[in-house]
Amino acid sequence: TLRMLVPTLLVLFFFFLKGRAGPSPHFLQQPEDLVVLLGDEARLPCALGAYWGLVQWTKDGLALGGERDLPGWSRYWIAGNAAGGQHDLHIRPVELEDQASYECQATQAGLRSRPAQLHVLVPPEAPQVLGGPSVSLVAGIPANLTCRSSGDAHPTPELLWFRDGIQLDGATFRQTLLKEGATGSTGSVESILYLTPSSHDDGATLVCRARSQALPAGKDTAITLSLQYPPVVTLSAEPQRVQEGEKVTFLCQATAQPPVTGYRWAKGGSPVLGARGPMLEVVADASFLTAPVSCEVSNAVGSANRSTALDVQFGPILQAKPKPLSVDVGEDASFSCVWRGNPLPRVTWTRRGEAQVLASGPTLRLPAVEPEDAGDYVCRAEPGLSGLGGGAAEARLTVNAPPVVTALHSAPAFLRGPARLQCLVFASPAPEAVVWSWDEGFLTAGSRGRFLVETFPAPEGRGGQGPGLISVLHISGTQESDFSRGFNCSARNRLGEGGTQVTLGRRASASFSKQKNLVRIPGSSDGSSSRGPEEETGSGENQGPIVHTDNSDLVLDEEATLEIKDPTNGYYKVRGVSVSLSLGEGPGGGLFPPPSSPLGPPGTPTFYDFNPHLGMLPPCRLYRARAGYLTTPHPRAFTSYIKPTSFGPPDLGPSTPPFPYAAFPTPSHPRLQTHV
């Protein structure tokens, strides 16, 4: 027990003496946390007052020793004025293992400083970019670049990407910690940059920088991008604006890596055969305005093409013709035609044969058409600046209306002789039937008693007037009542009915001479025949050739019929004659002078103009002289009527004009013609 009390008493005595001697030991300066770069010198300060005893340092609780040179710790030592109480810990060079918690202790006074943490910073190594220093990429293909920092850098470095000194957006890369060290997040890290390069990136320099607190400026690694890219093409044309027919040169230029391997030209998507180089020469036409020329350039990576269209100036070209129209009367009619040209052509509408411009532009509208609006309408485009192109296109307007019936002049007839009445019908749509009617009946076709009806297509009338018909009413053996009454010609279609009245004119009888069995044709200019005796009757002013006959009691009047025999007993050759007997020839090779053409002078329209023949006497005969037919008796001829045996169309020569009266059958009669 006594032994246990002795130490306690000594301590109490020490404190008693201490209190009697002055102030107690205390810290004038204590160490604080310190950050030091690897390889530098670290100094942890410690100063004591009123203490002259032993001072030591501990590292993570382990005493380093009381000597000033700290044997066993070659890089550690204690420095400062010990008499003044300065006991600083120095470490040089600092290594990563020096990172720890340090305390300064006055062991005899029982004093301990607060712990001070020594942090050792390890700067990062220069990063490495995989694939560097030159990285080959393909333009347009997404790629990634990897930058990696290895070693025991502390703290963990940050990896940054730069291009041309400008930091790239952090969203384009990510950072990955590869491992963690025992002292914290140390070790290697990598950053992956995602990008889609273009041809403009060829030769660009990218920098990966590793930086941390240990190395704020960081360390850089640069790489150069080597881009492989398909051709970048520019296409030009010289000149760009041309007239149709001029030459144009196309130039196709391209940059590519690797170099260009081939060119291919096309027009409107179709290859231009034989064109292989960077230049193409063509002769411009209208198609180049809408069919662009393209140039495709290829290399080992891919291909690219460019196209351009020429501004070709050309004359109007008809794209869509106007279409024929058939509309009912009172309705609207609208024509359209499309012309293509550069510059845009001016289109005008006229009526054929007229100069008045009805409209301009691609459309002609005719409101509430009337029958007189029927006809051919022309859309016209003038030639272009080059004098090429242009022209006209036409379409017919047919106006559907009730039939228009017109009486054609009919030749006067002899009593009890044949007669023919005619009417002209124009109608669209075509009439259901053409009807002839008179007091005691009507007839549309075929025969009925003394009457027979035939209907024939008429020659083309005025444009758009509709199809034409000529209806002929034949009368066999006229009666007195036929000359005093009217015959109605009428036609009907779905739009209505039209008609007209036709009257039959009466013709005077021929005169004869009975002296010496001779027959004279009144009005003949020939005073004698070439054979046999002759006698003349009447004045010499209106005489005709005299023909000998064997029948001394030949009497010709309106009620008699002429027997068909050769009155010259073979002296003259007998042939058939229609309606009249031709007993001589006048100048020009025919009994009567040839008629003038009913179609007018050359160059007149192809359709027949009936107006001159409506309501007026026709020429002496309507058929050609050489055909030998007469449709009406000539004043200078005598005639015997014979009942027709058949009807049929005349045999016209190839040069016969398309005269409407010659387009339908004509009664055929025996004909007597004399020849010397």
Side-chain angles (χ1 to χ4, degrees), residues 156-313:
T156 302
E158 178 184 19
L159 299 180
L160 304 175
W161 289 94
F162 294 85
R163 176 175 177 171
D164 300 330
I166 301 175
Q167 182 177 342
L168 299 179
D169 187 358
T172 61
F173 66 87
R174 65 185 180 88
Q175 186 168 289
T176 303
L177 181 65
L178 298 181
K179 70 177 182 178
E180 294 185 0
T183 58
S185 299
T186 61
S188 298
V189 292
E190 69 178 21
S191 176
I192 301 176
L193 174 66
Y194 298 95
L195 75 162
T196 301
S198 68
S199 59
H200 302 292
D201 296 325
D202 187 39
T205 299
L206 296 182
V207 172
C208 179
R209 176 175 298 168
R211 73 177 185 182
S212 68
Q213 186 181 359
L215 189 60
K219 287 189 176 181
D220 296 343
T221 297
I223 62 167
T224 301
L225 297 182
S226 176
L227 265 295
Q228 292 187 344
Y229 52 92
V232 178
V233 182
T234 57
L235 179 61
S236 61
E238 183 61 36
Q240 187 70 35
R241 172 176 293 181
V242 293
Q243 293 287 339
E244 185 177 14
E246 293 182 354
K247 287 187 177 181
V248 180
T249 300
F250 292 91
L251 182 60
C252 186
Q253 297 176 306
T255 57
Q257 181 63 34
V260 171
T261 56
Y263 295 84
R264 188 170 66 177
W265 292 88
K267 177 193 173 187
S270 300
V272 179
L273 300 180
R276 291 290 182 267
M279 184 179 296
L280 175 67
E281 289 187 351
V282 299
V283 176
D285 57 34
S287 63
F288 284 89
L289 188 65
T290 55
V293 172
S294 62
C295 172
E296 182 179 79
V297 185
S298 305
N299 69 353
V301 175
S303 62
N305 69 77
R306 288 291 180 271
S307 62
T308 184
L310 291 178
D311 184 9
V312 182
Q313 296 187 340

Side-chain angles (χ1 to χ4, degrees), residues 306-591:
R306 288 291 180 271
S307 62
T308 184
L310 291 178
D311 184 9
V312 182
Q313 296 187 340
F314 58 93
I317 299 174
L318 183 62
Q319 296 286 96
K321 296 181 179 179
K323 296 181 180 180
L325 294 177
S326 178
V327 299
D328 291 350
V329 63
E331 295 183 351
D332 295 346
S334 180
F335 291 100
S336 65
C337 70
V338 179
W339 291 86
R340 175 171 166 261
N342 185 29
L344 193 66
R346 179 178 180 268
V347 179
T348 58
W349 289 88
T350 59
R351 192 167 180 171
R352 189 171 70 174
E354 300 179 5
Q356 181 183 1
V357 176
L358 303 177
S360 297
T363 303
L364 170 64
R365 183 177 178 274
L366 302 173
V369 296
E370 297 294 335
E372 55 267 21
D373 294 322
D376 297 319
Y377 290 86
V378 182
C379 72
R380 187 182 309 277
E382 298 300 325
L385 299 176
S386 61
L388 302 177
E394 65 180 46
R396 173 162 296 180
L397 172 63
T398 300
V399 179
N400 300 323
V404 177
V405 183
T406 306
L408 296 179
H409 182 80
S410 300
F414 290 104
L415 180 65
R416 295 182 180 84
R420 183 172 60 194
L421 303 178
Q422 304 170 109
C423 69
L424 175 65
V425 180
F426 280 115
S428 177
E432 301 163 2
V434 179
V435 181
W436 285 91
S437 60
W438 55 94
D439 294 341
E440 67 269 19
F442 68 91
L443 191 61
T444 59
S447 62
R448 178 181 178 183
R450 298 181 298 116
F451 302 96
L452 181 144
V453 171
E454 292 181 295
T455 303
F456 307 96
E460 183 180 5
R462 184 166 59 87
Q465 200 172 22
L469 296 174
I470 294 178
S471 184
V472 182
L473 175 64
H474 297 274
I475 305 175
S476 175
T478 59
Q479 300 176 0
E480 286 288 350
S481 60
D482 295 335
F483 298 103
S484 60
R485 63 183 170 188
F487 293 84
N488 294 318
C489 177
S490 61
R492 172 185 293 274
N493 63 10
R494 64 177 177 84
L495 295 173
E497 183 177 356
T500 189
Q501 188 176 77
V502 186
T503 58
L504 178 61
R506 186 168 181 169
R507 190 172 184 81
S509 61
S511 63
F512 295 87
S513 171
K514 296 183 180 180
Q515 298 180 7
K516 296 184 180 180
N517 297 332
L518 298 179
V519 179
R520 180 181 301 279
I521 300 176
S524 173
S525 61
D526 192 357
S528 63
S529 64
S530 60
R531 296 174 182 265
E534 303 174 355
E535 281 190 33
E536 299 182 10
T537 61
S539 65
E541 182 178 349
N542 186 20
Q543 297 178 346
I546 298 180
V547 181
H548 290 268
T549 67
D550 289 335
N551 189 356
S552 60
D553 10 308
L554 175 63
V555 178
L556 295 178
D557 56 30
E558 293 181 348
E559 299 179 359
T561 58
L562 180 64
E563 181 181 359
I564 305 303
K565 64 181 181 179
D566 183 4
T568 63
N569 293 322
Y571 188 78
Y572 296 107
K573 186 176 181 181
V574 178
R575 294 173 59 181
V577 63
S578 172
V579 181
S580 63
L581 297 177
S582 177
L583 302 179
E585 294 187 358
L591 179 62

Side-chain angles (χ1 to χ4, degrees), residues 51-133:
Y51 179 75
W52 296 273
L54 179 65
V55 176
Q56 68 173 4
W57 285 83
T58 62
K59 176 183 179 182
D60 290 336
L62 176 64
L64 299 179
E67 293 83 356
R68 305 281 289 183
D69 57 355
L70 299 178
W73 301 89
S74 58
R75 297 180 294 105
Y76 290 56
W77 72 93
I78 298 174
N81 184 2
Q86 195 72 33
H87 305 279
D88 299 338
L89 176 63
H90 290 259
I91 306 173
R92 190 180 62 189
V94 173
E95 296 182 359
L96 190 58
E97 64 184 26
D98 298 331
Q99 184 168 276
S101 178
Y102 293 88
E103 289 184 2
C104 178
Q105 299 177 353
T107 56
Q108 294 175 345
L111 296 177
R112 299 174 61 184
S113 69
R114 59 176 177 269
Q117 189 69 36
L118 177 62
H119 298 279
V120 179
L121 301 181
V122 180
E125 301 290 339
Q128 177 188 11
V129 178
L130 302 185

